[in-house]
Amino acid sequence: MDVNIGGSIDGTGGGDLATLAEQVSDAERLGFDGVWSTEVSRDPFLPLMLAADRSSALQIGTAVAVAFARSPMTMAATANDLNTFSRGRFVLGLGSQIRAHIERRFSMPWSSPAPRMREYVLALRAIWRCWETGEKLDFEGEHYRHTLMTPMFSPEASFGAPRVMLAAVGPMMTAVAAEVADGLLLHGFTTQRYLREVTLPAVEQGLTRTARTRADFTMVYPGLVVTGGTEQEYESAVQQVRRQIAFYGATPAYRAVLDLHGWGELHTELHRLSKSGDWATMTDLIDDHVLETFAVTGEPSTIGKQLLERFGDLVDRFTLYTPYSLDAHARAVIVEGVRTAA
């Protein structure tokens, strides 16, 4: 089995170019196949421009950029530029975000996310096809309308359309991803059981709409990992991951994952506590059973084998998800462990 392993860059730790350059160099040195940039506290695209320049081999991608914060035209232009400058190595990972952020943070309209995302990706593809082939731009949907493109504003055809991957948790968005996108960016708040019983059936449903097979579709799993080089580092990682699981578990959009395991009441309590910002109590509610259901835990040398045993037949690519500081040696050991186990 061939395994593709991704790391992350974003500059959150300082936001300077030297930090970003070091992250890119580390990713290559540690054996990663690609790097992702997130849209959390920084722009998701700018770090990837530097990554494209500093590395000629790493795949680069957003995991994720918020689709509904931008029009398909502006998104298409940015993605096309990054794909051109990286010589075809860019992957556009898109997410919908939740209603509060779209309306109150981005000041953009909200609508049912799954059908809107389907239209969004189709609009992107129409724009790229216009630029690539000269086909008249004539896209009209319920939410987006793109019918004007002149030679002055058309970039030269180069490396083709970027690959598009969608982030999804629920079955509706998952099916949309399998219908119109090139792959699925799984959420860190998922489990082996949820993937088998909910995600994969939704993927198959979406693929049948376009007569594609699972071999035509890439699934990326951000493996939530608890590890450390010392006992103190390990215990710190445990607490940080408990806190992260509690944060996700309080989100109504992710309740279905807990419901599948019979933990619906946990969501109710986490959601209630989140309203008052009681993160300490929320973290304490994540017991060992919940922790080990969502995360792979252990010494760095054991993580790779565990990831493959739990998810190797379900996904095509792993991204290490460590919401805490993990030193380069430990990450290198995990990467080597995944490759050896494969």
Side-chain angles (χ1 to χ4, degrees), residues 21-310:
E22 183 178 354
Q23 289 177 330
V24 174
S25 296
D26 283 347
E28 284 198 310
R29 179 171 52 83
L30 297 175
F32 289 110
D33 298 291
V35 291
W36 301 99
S37 180
T38 62
E39 182 162 21
V40 180
S41 59
R42 298 194 184 280
D43 179 271
F45 301 110
L46 294 178
L48 297 178
M49 189 66 174
L50 184 142
D53 178 62
R54 292 304 178 97
S55 170
S56 61
L58 290 172
Q59 299 173 41
I60 62 173
T62 53
V64 292
V66 179
F68 303 154
R70 303 166 177 87
S71 80
M73 183 61 71
T74 56
M75 185 73 80
T78 301
N80 184 73
D81 282 348
L82 279 168
N83 202 44
T84 299
F85 296 140
S86 66
R87 304 185 67 81
R89 290 180 285 130
F90 176 66
V91 178
L92 177 61
L94 298 175
S96 58
Q97 249 301 350
I98 61 174
R99 181 170 189 163
H101 283 269
I102 297 301
E103 290 186 334
R104 294 165 50 198
R105 183 155 71 100
F106 293 108
S107 189
M108 298 293 280
W110 175 258
S111 59
S112 181
R116 183 175 172 186
M117 185 66 82
R118 180 182 184 276
E119 184 177 306
Y120 194 100
V121 175
L122 293 177
L124 287 175
R125 297 205 186 281
I127 294 166
W128 289 329
R129 192 164 56 248
C130 169
W131 292 342
E132 189 72 17
T133 70
E135 175 183 313
K136 176 179 171 55
L137 181 58
D138 186 19
F139 182 88
E140 297 199 47
E142 180 181 351
H143 307 284
Y144 302 105
R145 181 173 182 266
H146 300 282
T147 59
L148 175 63
M149 182 56 58
T150 63
M152 180 177 179
F153 298 103
S154 299
E156 293 183 3
S158 54
F159 293 90
R163 289 160 291 169
V164 178
M165 305 189 77
L166 297 185
V169 175
M172 289 182 64
M173 187 67 82
T174 300
V176 167
E179 179 187 359
V180 301
D182 299 295
L184 175 66
L185 295 170
L186 297 164
H187 199 286
F189 191 72
T190 194
T191 67
Q192 183 187 50
R193 180 181 173 187
Y194 190 84
L195 287 179
R196 292 192 188 281
E197 298 183 19
V198 179
T199 302
L200 284 183
V203 166
E204 292 300 327
Q205 180 186 30
L207 290 174
T208 58
R209 296 174 186 167
T210 53
R212 294 193 297 169
T213 68
R214 177 67 179 81
D216 302 313
F217 192 71
T218 301
M219 291 178 59
V220 180
Y221 172 63
L224 192 55
V225 168
V226 175
T227 193
T230 66
E231 184 175 344
Q232 183 178 6
E233 290 175 351
Y234 182 84
E235 289 304 317
S236 176
V238 167
Q239 285 303 107
Q240 291 299 319
V241 174
R242 287 190 201 276
R243 181 183 176 93
Q244 194 68 40
I245 292 171
F247 170 76
Y248 289 139
T251 305
Y254 306 148
R255 175 176 182 141
V257 184
L258 292 174
D259 282 338
L260 182 68
H261 290 269
W263 296 331
E265 291 183 1
L266 175 61
H267 163 78
T268 301
E269 185 63 6
L270 290 171
H271 185 64
R272 184 186 69 80
L273 291 167
S274 71
K275 296 294 186 181
S276 59
D278 191 352
W279 297 103
T281 302
M282 291 169 64
T283 300
D284 290 341
L285 289 178
I286 307 303
D287 62 25
D288 288 346
H289 184 40
V290 175
L291 175 71
E292 292 171 6
T293 299
F294 282 95
V296 171
T297 66
E299 296 181 2
S301 61
T302 71
I303 297 299
K305 182 178 179 181
Q306 289 189 68
L307 283 171
L308 265 294
E309 288 176 346
R310 195 183 292 192

